[in-house]
Amino acid sequence: MSITADSKFHVLAVDDSLIDRKLIERLLKISSYQVTTVDSGSKALEFLGLHEDDQSNPETPSVSPNNNQEVEVNLIITDYCMPGMTGYDLLKKIKESSSLRNIPVVIMSSENVPSRITRCLEEGAEEFFLKPVQLSDLNRLKPHMMKTKIKTQKQENEEIQELQPPPPPPPPPPPQQLPNNSKRKAMEEGLSPDRTRPRYNNITTVV
Amino acid sequence: MTTACKGFLDEQFLQLEELQDDANPNFVEEVVTLYYRDSARLILNIEQALERNPLDFNKLDSLMHQFKGSSSSIGAKKVKAECTLFREYCRAGNGEGCIRTFQQLKKEYATLKKKLEAYFQLARQVGPAETACRPK
């Protein structure tokens, strides 16, 4: 399970309006993001692998494995006004979840209500977009996703280094008259440890 | 956006056009088709709600909120303005105002549909040069 440096950021978009889902999907795809759209907060939580009961259960281990998520989500963008679970409710649930709270959340709303905006930002939303969302608004998303991805990769790096003891140095190749291919192979085995370290540190920063 | 559409559609419609490209050549039409479908449903629901006695202003406001949202998303300026007015009457509990505004809204919506249909017809005729030359 390797993280390729050139994989696209994955955004989960939540909106009960079909038209707005289509719009946000197009905007996100043009901005080169992978997109998944859902039509409700509860479907969003389902997709994220969080069951609504988990949080109230004190026996749930605090180290909720991210393995519940089949796909990594780098940002959640959600409409505020939705029947049932509002965008604000969804934001709260995400921030209360140990496994999901690091995912940046952006709220969209057709109504410019200052108290609403403040409330969302105070609850942990990174941005608040007024609808209809413009392509230029989406330029503000990348920094939030980059920040989290770097944090996550650093954490994983540390975890891996803790779990795996350093590999023993490879035995020296036997001194035989080998055909060319094997000689090359033998040379590869003798490479310095630097080369064999997984390439987590090669993060392409595109501004 | 043709001059005929001016006044009926705002900059948001231009944004939609900008989201269309060779790989997604029918994007605007797809969005507008969804809008028609959504609007038909909402108009029906609002009509039914307006027949109730007494009027449920919360329900009406909620339906109109959706209509306003989708109209705003495609840039339907005049329809959106009628939605806003309707919601003000809802909040004031003014049933007559709601009914009057709704009639006006339906007129604006019908006009918009005609304009958009003319727009798409024109777009099909003047289509990109490649389509004209491509053998069928």
Side-chain angles (χ1 to χ4, degrees):
Chain A
M1 206 176 16
S2 60
I3 297 173
T4 44
D6 58 352
S7 52
K8 286 184 177 178
F9 285 120
H10 181 206
V11 178
L12 175 65
V14 192
D15 200 319
D16 61 315
S17 158
L18 181 52
I19 290 165
D20 289 348
R21 278 203 303 282
K22 188 167 174 78
L23 272 179
I24 196 74
E25 183 186 45
R26 182 83 189 113
L27 287 168
L28 288 166
K29 283 195 170 149
I30 284 183
S31 308
S32 302
Y33 299 124
Q34 233 187 325
V35 192
T36 300
T37 59
V38 292
D39 64 5
S40 72
S42 43
K43 292 230 181 94
L45 291 175
E46 228 182 275
F47 182 81
L48 293 163
L50 185 74
H51 301 283
E52 297 187 47
D53 302 333
D54 284 357
Q55 291 155 266
S56 44
N57 184 356
E59 286 171 15
T60 315
S62 54
V63 185
S64 289
N66 262 352
N67 310 342
N68 279 343
Q69 277 170 242
E70 303 277 322
V71 193
E72 194 189 350
V73 171
N74 304 114
L75 185 132
I76 297 161
I77 182 164
T78 177
D79 187 24
Y80 183 92
C81 281
M82 294 189 293
M85 194 188 295
T86 66
Y88 179 76
D89 297 331
L90 176 60
L91 167 67
K92 275 191 79 175
K93 287 204 189 276
I94 290 167
K95 292 305 170 189
E96 283 165 8
S97 154
S98 49
S99 56
L100 302 177
R101 71 162 67 103
N102 283 332
I103 304 178
V105 181
V106 170
I107 310 275
M108 307 180 275
S109 178
S110 53
E111 286 165 334
N112 190 351
V113 182
S115 56
R116 178 184 293 182
I117 298 173
T118 312
R119 213 161 138 242
C120 289
L121 295 176
E122 278 173 2
E123 194 59 41
E126 307 288 342
E127 300 271 355
F128 191 99
F129 292 159
L130 279 179
K131 282 177 157 183
V133 177
Q134 309 292 298
L135 206 53
S136 51
D137 291 328
L138 297 196
N139 293 336
R140 284 146 64 183
L141 295 183
K142 202 156 209 165
H144 300 298
M145 288 191 267
M146 292 296 305
K147 199 169 47 173
T148 315
K149 199 156 181 113
I150 292 170
K151 206 202 280 188
T152 320
Q153 284 183 345
K154 264 198 189 141
Q155 280 173 352
E156 287 183 5
N157 238 6
E158 285 162 5
E159 277 167 25
I160 286 169
Q161 282 170 8
E162 278 170 23
L163 294 171
Q164 291 174 1
Q176 290 174 14
Q177 277 301 323
L178 301 164
N180 275 348
N181 314 359
S182 309
K183 240 193 207 156
R184 203 180 303 139
K185 193 176 173 202
M187 276 177 61
E188 277 168 22
E189 278 169 18
L191 277 179
S192 64
D194 283 343
R195 292 286 198 92
T196 53
R197 197 184 299 154
R199 290 163 40 192
Y200 291 118
N201 294 329
N202 291 344
I203 298 162
T204 11
T205 41
V206 178
V207 177
Chain B
M1 183 163 66
T2 62
T3 353
C5 287
K6 266 205 187 134
F8 292 89
L9 295 166
D10 62 27
E11 310 78 45
Q12 177 59 16
F13 193 78
L14 286 173
Q15 288 279 335
L16 290 186
E17 287 180 317
E18 278 169 28
L19 294 179
Q20 190 162 281
D21 59 18
D22 289 341
N24 298 268
N26 302 312
F27 180 71
V28 183
E29 196 160 8
E30 284 166 12
V31 176
V32 170
T33 305
L34 284 178
Y35 175 67
Y36 290 158
R37 218 182 288 162
D38 209 40
S39 304
R41 172 186 64 90
L42 286 166
I43 287 172
L44 186 61
N45 288 349
I46 293 167
E47 257 161 5
Q48 286 171 349
L50 283 172
E51 277 163 22
R52 301 206 171 228
N53 196 5
L55 292 176
D56 182 350
F57 289 111
N58 280 336
K59 174 93 186 157
L60 286 166
D61 187 62
S62 165
L63 288 168
M64 207 39 98
H65 169 85
Q66 291 177 56
F67 206 163
K68 183 181 171 196
S70 53
S71 302
S72 167
S73 293
I74 72 149
K77 194 158 83 166
K78 289 197 175 189
V79 175
K80 179 182 168 184
E82 297 300 330
C83 293
T84 304
L85 189 54
F86 185 100
R87 293 185 77 195
E88 280 170 26
Y89 281 125
C90 277
R91 287 184 199 145
N94 185 340
E96 258 190 51
C98 286
I99 292 169
R100 228 176 26 237
T101 311
F102 188 55
Q103 298 312 313
Q104 187 57 26
L105 188 154
K106 283 193 284 187
K107 279 198 192 124
E108 296 292 355
Y109 176 73
T111 310
L112 176 68
K113 272 190 92 168
K114 282 207 197 94
K115 301 270 176 192
L116 285 170
E117 269 150 28
Y119 165 85
F120 287 120
Q121 266 206 7
L122 188 65
R124 266 175 237 130
Q125 283 165 21
V126 203
E130 301 131 341
T131 345
C133 301
R134 202 181 297 147
K136 298 244 163 162

